[in-house]
Amino acid sequence: MKLIIKAIFFLTIGLKSSVPSYSFYDIYGDIPFLYDVTFTGKVIISSKYFNYTNADAQFNFNYSLSTRSEFTEGEQVVVNWEFSPLTTTSLPSVLLDLWKSFVNEQTKEIVYTVKLPTDQFLVFDEKGKRHPLGYFFEILFPIIDTEKNEYYQKYALDVADNSGTEHLSLEISGWDFFKITRTLDADPLILLETNRQFINEIYSNYSIRQNKKTPTIFWMQNVKLFQVNEYKQVQNEAVLTGMYFIEANKKILSRAIVMGKTSGELPYQYQNFKIPFSVQLEGKFDINLREGIENY
């Protein structure tokens, strides 16, 4: 535990020098925030012995975030994350097994997660080393800058495990959709610029919240992820563009619409049989804060 606390201390100092030092999300307390997620779109699952494609697929899961007040000290908030199994009526059971195996594996590796004043989540494994999953939590809870109204961060990481070292590149850019105009030379966002339904949903939600006089930050975020192993073979890649509806008064994310393409390799094991599966998703994730979370 001393090693973990020491690591947190030095990482906090390092992060404060590179990202805005403010805290927006108000997630203090032991009551969990529970989010329901629905994916609709195209799913491709393949392996050496299995190939499956569904262009009109749907699956659901939820995740919760709660704090551990007995371990919270100062500005560092210790948090718990939990992800449910997948549920679906349109996809083979192997996807459910792959998800369950992935979540279980990540849960075994993670022993400690802390939220910093920067709203970044630091995740540590049993050896006190920082786990890359913390960077992915920025997709679920984006870091926002209410002064500049835009945010940019690029990570280049080496991730070591029993099978070798993988290289991860992660680029995150975000901006207030109604306050920042992207420059003409900015990289095009195909999902945003060509998906009329996506744009209509944004403006529809804007109109509803304006009529209800609900102060809302409409935060747009684009994520590019690329991960290769030591042999330069692609392990994971993703391009995700999302609109996050953040309630300014309650200081919490209430809804998100994330469009994009992801592909990755997940291990599958049954008794002594083990084989990797490739999973590709292309479509939309609807993320909603569940009503009545105090009853969860």
Short mmCIF file of all heavy atoms in Angstrom, two decimals, residues 188-220:
data_model
loop_
_atom_site.label_atom_id
_atom_site.label_comp_id
_atom_site.label_asym_id
_atom_site.label_seq_id
_atom_site.Cartn_x
_atom_site.Cartn_y
_atom_site.Cartn_z
N PRO A 188 -10.88 15.93 -40.60
CA PRO A 188 -12.33 15.72 -40.73
C PRO A 188 -12.83 14.60 -39.82
O PRO A 188 -12.13 13.62 -39.60
CB PRO A 188 -12.49 15.34 -42.20
CG PRO A 188 -11.16 14.80 -42.62
CD PRO A 188 -10.14 15.56 -41.82
N LEU A 189 -14.02 14.79 -39.27
CA LEU A 189 -14.67 13.78 -38.44
C LEU A 189 -15.85 13.22 -39.24
O LEU A 189 -16.94 13.78 -39.22
CB LEU A 189 -15.14 14.37 -37.11
CG LEU A 189 -14.06 14.99 -36.23
CD1 LEU A 189 -14.67 15.60 -34.97
CD2 LEU A 189 -13.01 13.95 -35.85
N ILE A 190 -15.58 12.15 -39.97
CA ILE A 190 -16.57 11.61 -40.90
C ILE A 190 -17.88 11.27 -40.19
O ILE A 190 -18.97 11.58 -40.69
CB ILE A 190 -16.01 10.36 -41.61
CG1 ILE A 190 -14.70 10.70 -42.34
CG2 ILE A 190 -17.04 9.80 -42.58
CD1 ILE A 190 -14.83 11.77 -43.38
N LEU A 191 -17.79 10.65 -39.01
CA LEU A 191 -19.00 10.25 -38.30
C LEU A 191 -19.85 11.46 -37.93
O LEU A 191 -21.08 11.38 -37.94
CB LEU A 191 -18.63 9.47 -37.03
CG LEU A 191 -18.00 8.10 -37.25
CD1 LEU A 191 -17.51 7.54 -35.93
CD2 LEU A 191 -19.02 7.15 -37.86
N LEU A 192 -19.20 12.55 -37.60
CA LEU A 192 -19.95 13.75 -37.21
C LEU A 192 -20.49 14.50 -38.42
O LEU A 192 -21.61 15.02 -38.40
CB LEU A 192 -19.04 14.67 -36.39
CG LEU A 192 -19.64 16.02 -35.97
CD1 LEU A 192 -20.85 15.81 -35.06
CD2 LEU A 192 -18.58 16.86 -35.25
N GLU A 193 -19.71 14.54 -39.47
CA GLU A 193 -20.05 15.40 -40.60
C GLU A 193 -20.98 14.74 -41.61
O GLU A 193 -21.54 15.40 -42.47
CB GLU A 193 -18.75 15.85 -41.28
CG GLU A 193 -17.90 16.72 -40.36
CD GLU A 193 -16.47 16.87 -40.85
OE1 GLU A 193 -16.14 16.24 -41.86
OE2 GLU A 193 -15.69 17.58 -40.20
N THR A 194 -21.13 13.43 -41.54
CA THR A 194 -21.97 12.73 -42.52
C THR A 194 -23.19 12.06 -41.92
O THR A 194 -24.06 11.61 -42.66
CB THR A 194 -21.14 11.66 -43.26
OG1 THR A 194 -20.70 10.67 -42.32
CG2 THR A 194 -19.94 12.26 -43.94
N ASN A 195 -23.28 12.00 -40.59
CA ASN A 195 -24.39 11.30 -39.95
C ASN A 195 -25.44 12.30 -39.53
O ASN A 195 -25.38 12.91 -38.46
CB ASN A 195 -23.87 10.50 -38.74
CG ASN A 195 -24.89 9.50 -38.23
OD1 ASN A 195 -26.06 9.83 -38.04
ND2 ASN A 195 -24.45 8.27 -38.02
N ARG A 196 -26.44 12.46 -40.38
CA ARG A 196 -27.49 13.44 -40.13
C ARG A 196 -28.30 13.10 -38.88
O ARG A 196 -28.71 13.99 -38.12
CB ARG A 196 -28.40 13.53 -41.36
CG ARG A 196 -29.57 14.51 -41.22
CD ARG A 196 -29.14 15.89 -40.78
NE ARG A 196 -28.11 16.47 -41.65
CZ ARG A 196 -27.50 17.62 -41.42
NH1 ARG A 196 -27.81 18.31 -40.32
NH2 ARG A 196 -26.58 18.08 -42.24
N GLN A 197 -28.54 11.81 -38.64
CA GLN A 197 -29.31 11.41 -37.46
C GLN A 197 -28.57 11.80 -36.18
O GLN A 197 -29.19 12.24 -35.20
CB GLN A 197 -29.55 9.90 -37.48
CG GLN A 197 -30.40 9.41 -36.30
CD GLN A 197 -30.63 7.91 -36.35
OE1 GLN A 197 -30.18 7.23 -37.27
NE2 GLN A 197 -31.33 7.39 -35.36
N PHE A 198 -27.26 11.64 -36.19
CA PHE A 198 -26.45 12.01 -35.04
C PHE A 198 -26.59 13.50 -34.75
O PHE A 198 -26.83 13.92 -33.61
CB PHE A 198 -25.00 11.63 -35.32
CG PHE A 198 -24.06 11.80 -34.16
CD1 PHE A 198 -24.51 11.76 -32.85
CD2 PHE A 198 -22.71 11.95 -34.39
CE1 PHE A 198 -23.63 11.89 -31.79
CE2 PHE A 198 -21.81 12.08 -33.33
CZ PHE A 198 -22.28 12.07 -32.03
N ILE A 199 -26.47 14.32 -35.78
CA ILE A 199 -26.59 15.77 -35.63
C ILE A 199 -27.98 16.15 -35.13
O ILE A 199 -28.15 17.00 -34.25
CB ILE A 199 -26.29 16.48 -36.96
CG1 ILE A 199 -24.84 16.25 -37.38
CG2 ILE A 199 -26.58 17.97 -36.85
CD1 ILE A 199 -23.84 16.85 -36.43
N ASN A 200 -29.01 15.49 -35.69
CA ASN A 200 -30.39 15.79 -35.27
C ASN A 200 -30.61 15.47 -33.80
O ASN A 200 -31.33 16.19 -33.09
CB ASN A 200 -31.39 15.02 -36.14
CG ASN A 200 -31.47 15.55 -37.55
OD1 ASN A 200 -31.06 16.69 -37.82
ND2 ASN A 200 -31.98 14.75 -38.47
N GLU A 201 -30.01 14.37 -33.31
CA GLU A 201 -30.14 14.01 -31.90
C GLU A 201 -29.51 15.07 -31.00
O GLU A 201 -30.03 15.38 -29.93
CB GLU A 201 -29.52 12.64 -31.64
CG GLU A 201 -30.36 11.47 -32.10
CD GLU A 201 -29.90 10.16 -31.49
OE1 GLU A 201 -30.05 9.98 -30.27
OE2 GLU A 201 -29.37 9.33 -32.25
N ILE A 202 -28.38 15.61 -31.43
CA ILE A 202 -27.71 16.63 -30.64
C ILE A 202 -28.59 17.87 -30.52
O ILE A 202 -28.84 18.38 -29.41
CB ILE A 202 -26.36 17.01 -31.27
CG1 ILE A 202 -25.39 15.82 -31.21
CG2 ILE A 202 -25.75 18.23 -30.58
CD1 ILE A 202 -24.10 16.04 -31.96
N TYR A 203 -29.12 18.34 -31.65
CA TYR A 203 -29.93 19.56 -31.62
C TYR A 203 -31.28 19.33 -30.96
O TYR A 203 -31.84 20.24 -30.32
CB TYR A 203 -30.10 20.11 -33.04
CG TYR A 203 -28.89 20.87 -33.51
CD1 TYR A 203 -27.92 20.27 -34.30
CD2 TYR A 203 -28.70 22.20 -33.14
CE1 TYR A 203 -26.78 20.96 -34.72
CE2 TYR A 203 -27.58 22.90 -33.55
CZ TYR A 203 -26.63 22.29 -34.34
OH TYR A 203 -25.52 22.98 -34.73
N SER A 204 -31.81 18.12 -31.07
CA SER A 204 -33.07 17.80 -30.40
C SER A 204 -32.88 17.85 -28.88
O SER A 204 -33.71 18.42 -28.16
CB SER A 204 -33.56 16.41 -30.83
OG SER A 204 -34.72 16.04 -30.11
N ASN A 205 -31.80 17.27 -28.39
CA ASN A 205 -31.51 17.32 -26.96
C ASN A 205 -31.22 18.74 -26.50
O ASN A 205 -31.60 19.13 -25.39
CB ASN A 205 -30.33 16.41 -26.64
CG ASN A 205 -30.73 14.98 -26.40
OD1 ASN A 205 -31.04 14.59 -25.27
ND2 ASN A 205 -30.76 14.20 -27.46
N TYR A 206 -30.56 19.50 -27.35
CA TYR A 206 -30.30 20.90 -27.01
C TYR A 206 -31.61 21.66 -26.84
O TYR A 206 -31.78 22.41 -25.86
CB TYR A 206 -29.46 21.55 -28.12
CG TYR A 206 -29.21 23.02 -27.91
CD1 TYR A 206 -28.18 23.45 -27.07
CD2 TYR A 206 -29.99 23.98 -28.55
CE1 TYR A 206 -27.94 24.80 -26.87
CE2 TYR A 206 -29.76 25.33 -28.36
CZ TYR A 206 -28.74 25.74 -27.52
OH TYR A 206 -28.51 27.08 -27.32
N SER A 207 -32.55 21.44 -27.75
CA SER A 207 -33.83 22.14 -27.68
C SER A 207 -34.61 21.75 -26.42
O SER A 207 -35.18 22.60 -25.73
CB SER A 207 -34.66 21.82 -28.93
OG SER A 207 -35.94 22.43 -28.86
N ILE A 208 -34.63 20.45 -26.12
CA ILE A 208 -35.37 19.96 -24.95
C ILE A 208 -34.79 20.55 -23.67
O ILE A 208 -35.53 21.02 -22.79
CB ILE A 208 -35.33 18.42 -24.89
CG1 ILE A 208 -36.15 17.82 -26.05
CG2 ILE A 208 -35.85 17.91 -23.55
CD1 ILE A 208 -36.00 16.32 -26.19
N ARG A 209 -33.49 20.55 -23.55
CA ARG A 209 -32.86 21.04 -22.33
C ARG A 209 -32.97 22.56 -22.21
O ARG A 209 -33.05 23.09 -21.10
CB ARG A 209 -31.39 20.58 -22.30
CG ARG A 209 -31.27 19.08 -22.09
CD ARG A 209 -29.86 18.56 -22.35
NE ARG A 209 -29.83 17.11 -22.28
CZ ARG A 209 -29.52 16.43 -21.18
NH1 ARG A 209 -29.19 17.08 -20.08
NH2 ARG A 209 -29.51 15.11 -21.18
N GLN A 210 -32.97 23.26 -23.33
CA GLN A 210 -33.16 24.70 -23.29
C GLN A 210 -34.57 25.04 -22.83
O GLN A 210 -34.78 25.95 -22.03
CB GLN A 210 -32.90 25.30 -24.67
CG GLN A 210 -31.44 25.35 -25.07
CD GLN A 210 -30.65 26.36 -24.26
OE1 GLN A 210 -30.00 26.00 -23.27
NE2 GLN A 210 -30.69 27.61 -24.64
N ASN A 211 -35.56 24.28 -23.34
CA ASN A 211 -36.95 24.53 -22.96
C ASN A 211 -37.19 24.25 -21.48
O ASN A 211 -38.00 24.91 -20.82
CB ASN A 211 -37.90 23.68 -23.81
CG ASN A 211 -37.95 24.14 -25.25
OD1 ASN A 211 -37.68 25.31 -25.55
ND2 ASN A 211 -38.31 23.24 -26.16
N LYS A 212 -36.48 23.24 -20.96
CA LYS A 212 -36.62 22.90 -19.53
C LYS A 212 -35.69 23.74 -18.66
O LYS A 212 -35.70 23.61 -17.43
CB LYS A 212 -36.29 21.41 -19.31
CG LYS A 212 -37.32 20.46 -19.90
CD LYS A 212 -36.96 19.02 -19.57
CE LYS A 212 -38.00 18.05 -20.09
NZ LYS A 212 -37.66 16.64 -19.77
N LYS A 213 -34.92 24.61 -19.30
CA LYS A 213 -33.96 25.46 -18.61
C LYS A 213 -33.00 24.63 -17.75
O LYS A 213 -32.73 24.95 -16.58
CB LYS A 213 -34.68 26.51 -17.77
CG LYS A 213 -35.53 27.47 -18.59
CD LYS A 213 -36.19 28.52 -17.74
CE LYS A 213 -37.01 29.49 -18.61
NZ LYS A 213 -37.68 30.53 -17.79
N THR A 214 -32.52 23.55 -18.35
CA THR A 214 -31.54 22.68 -17.70
C THR A 214 -30.14 23.07 -18.17
O THR A 214 -29.79 22.80 -19.32
CB THR A 214 -31.80 21.20 -18.04
OG1 THR A 214 -33.15 20.86 -17.68
CG2 THR A 214 -30.84 20.30 -17.30
N PRO A 215 -29.35 23.72 -17.32
CA PRO A 215 -28.00 24.10 -17.74
C PRO A 215 -27.19 22.86 -18.11
O PRO A 215 -27.02 21.95 -17.31
CB PRO A 215 -27.42 24.78 -16.49
CG PRO A 215 -28.61 25.18 -15.68
CD PRO A 215 -29.65 24.13 -15.94
N THR A 216 -26.71 22.83 -19.35
CA THR A 216 -26.04 21.64 -19.86
C THR A 216 -24.79 22.02 -20.63
O THR A 216 -24.79 22.99 -21.40
CB THR A 216 -26.98 20.83 -20.79
OG1 THR A 216 -28.18 20.50 -20.08
CG2 THR A 216 -26.31 19.55 -21.26
N ILE A 217 -23.73 21.26 -20.42
CA ILE A 217 -22.52 21.38 -21.23
C ILE A 217 -22.60 20.31 -22.31
O ILE A 217 -22.70 19.12 -22.01
CB ILE A 217 -21.26 21.20 -20.38
CG1 ILE A 217 -21.18 22.29 -19.32
CG2 ILE A 217 -20.01 21.21 -21.27
CD1 ILE A 217 -20.05 22.10 -18.33
N PHE A 218 -22.57 20.72 -23.56
CA PHE A 218 -22.64 19.79 -24.70
C PHE A 218 -21.20 19.56 -25.17
O PHE A 218 -20.66 20.32 -25.96
CB PHE A 218 -23.51 20.37 -25.81
CG PHE A 218 -24.95 20.60 -25.40
CD1 PHE A 218 -25.33 21.76 -24.74
CD2 PHE A 218 -25.91 19.63 -25.66
CE1 PHE A 218 -26.64 21.96 -24.36
CE2 PHE A 218 -27.23 19.82 -25.28
CZ PHE A 218 -27.60 20.98 -24.62
N TRP A 219 -20.62 18.50 -24.63
CA TRP A 219 -19.19 18.25 -24.86
C TRP A 219 -19.00 17.19 -25.94
O TRP A 219 -19.47 16.07 -25.83
CB TRP A 219 -18.54 17.78 -23.57
CG TRP A 219 -17.04 17.77 -23.63
CD1 TRP A 219 -16.23 16.69 -23.83
CD2 TRP A 219 -16.17 18.89 -23.48
NE1 TRP A 219 -14.90 17.07 -23.82
CE2 TRP A 219 -14.84 18.41 -23.61
CE3 TRP A 219 -16.38 20.25 -23.26
CZ2 TRP A 219 -13.74 19.26 -23.51
CZ3 TRP A 219 -15.28 21.09 -23.18
CH2 TRP A 219 -13.98 20.60 -23.29
N MET A 220 -18.31 17.57 -27.01
CA MET A 220 -17.99 16.64 -28.09
C MET A 220 -16.59 16.10 -27.88
O MET A 220 -15.68 16.85 -27.51
CB MET A 220 -18.09 17.36 -29.44
CG MET A 220 -17.79 16.48 -30.65
SD MET A 220 -19.04 15.19 -30.93
CE MET A 220 -20.41 16.21 -31.49
#
